[in-house]
Amino acid sequence: MRAIRVATAALLGVGALAVTAPAAQAQGDNSGFWATVRPTTVPPGGLVRLRATGCEQSVTVSSGVFDTVTIPRGRTTARARVDRDARPGAVYEVSFYCGTFWQSVDLTIAGGGPDRPDRPDVPQRGVHAGEGGSFAGLDLKEIGLGAVLITAVLGTTHRLSRPRADEDGAA
């Protein structure tokens, strides 16, 4: 009887990990997929070069500052023209989608600003880095929910695998 409970607990644990693994892979593990935008600071109406490597299919690139662009399968780059009405000093997110994997890169619009009106080509804030790794795109709610699920599975596994008082041979 104990073997059945242990097997059930083990299957429950494996099942919980199997259910949570695809979500973690889709959000964080980019499997060698990398994306860049050059230059990272561009004037309104300027051209940017979009580069995506490590994807074996077409890559879709979207942003609020230019029309959606597709980098065809077998190629790694494409160009996009930034909207002429892009707000100087603003930072726009550029998202690259390769199937279930995605990455976001910031694009700064050059020009003006209250701090340095004499130098329109200088971005108005520092570099935004560190979006990669296993936590990219996750918020605290998702991390908390994952921790609660794992804790519940471990607690259930422990409870089901403990010997019961009526199993020690007493009738």
Side-chain angles (χ1 to χ4, degrees), residues 95-163:
S95 298
F96 292 76
Y97 299 94
C98 171
T100 58
F101 301 111
W102 58 269
Q103 277 198 352
S104 294
V105 179
D106 285 344
L107 175 63
T108 304
I109 305 304
D115 297 339
R116 310 276 306 255
D118 58 325
R119 299 208 35 210
D121 59 336
V122 176
Q124 300 301 310
R125 67 176 205 162
V127 174
H128 181 71
E131 286 278 339
S134 61
F135 291 112
L138 294 178
D139 62 10
L140 289 178
K141 189 187 324 178
E142 290 172 329
I143 293 170
L145 180 60
V148 167
L149 285 173
I150 290 171
T151 303
V153 167
L154 291 175
T156 303
T157 303
H158 176 71
R159 178 139 172 88
L160 290 176
S161 64
R162 285 188 3 206

Side-chain angles (χ1 to χ4, degrees), residues 5-6 12 14 16 21-22 44 53 69 73 75 77 89 100 115 126 133 136 140 161 163-164 167 169:
R5 275 200 300 273
V6 171
L12 202 107
V14 170
T53 59
V69 174
R73 181 180 180 185
R75 297 200 50 202
T77 62
T100 58
D115 297 339
L140 289 178
S161 64
R164 300 196 185 215
E167 288 184 358

Side-chain angles (χ1 to χ4, degrees), residues 32-101:
F33 173 57
W34 292 100
T36 58
V37 175
R38 295 286 181 249
T40 57
T41 302
V42 64
L47 280 174
V48 290
R49 188 174 129 212
L50 310 167
R51 181 174 173 84
T53 59
C55 184
E56 296 183 12
Q57 55 190 339
S58 294
V59 175
T60 303
V61 186
S62 63
S63 177
V65 74
F66 56 77
D67 293 333
T68 299
V69 174
T70 300
I71 301 174
R73 181 180 180 185
R75 297 200 50 202
T76 57
T77 62
R79 291 188 180 260
R81 182 164 304 277
V82 173
D83 295 339
R84 294 197 182 278
D85 61 350
R87 194 176 78 232
V91 177
Y92 291 89
E93 184 176 271
V94 180
S95 298
F96 292 76
Y97 299 94
C98 171
T100 58
F101 301 111

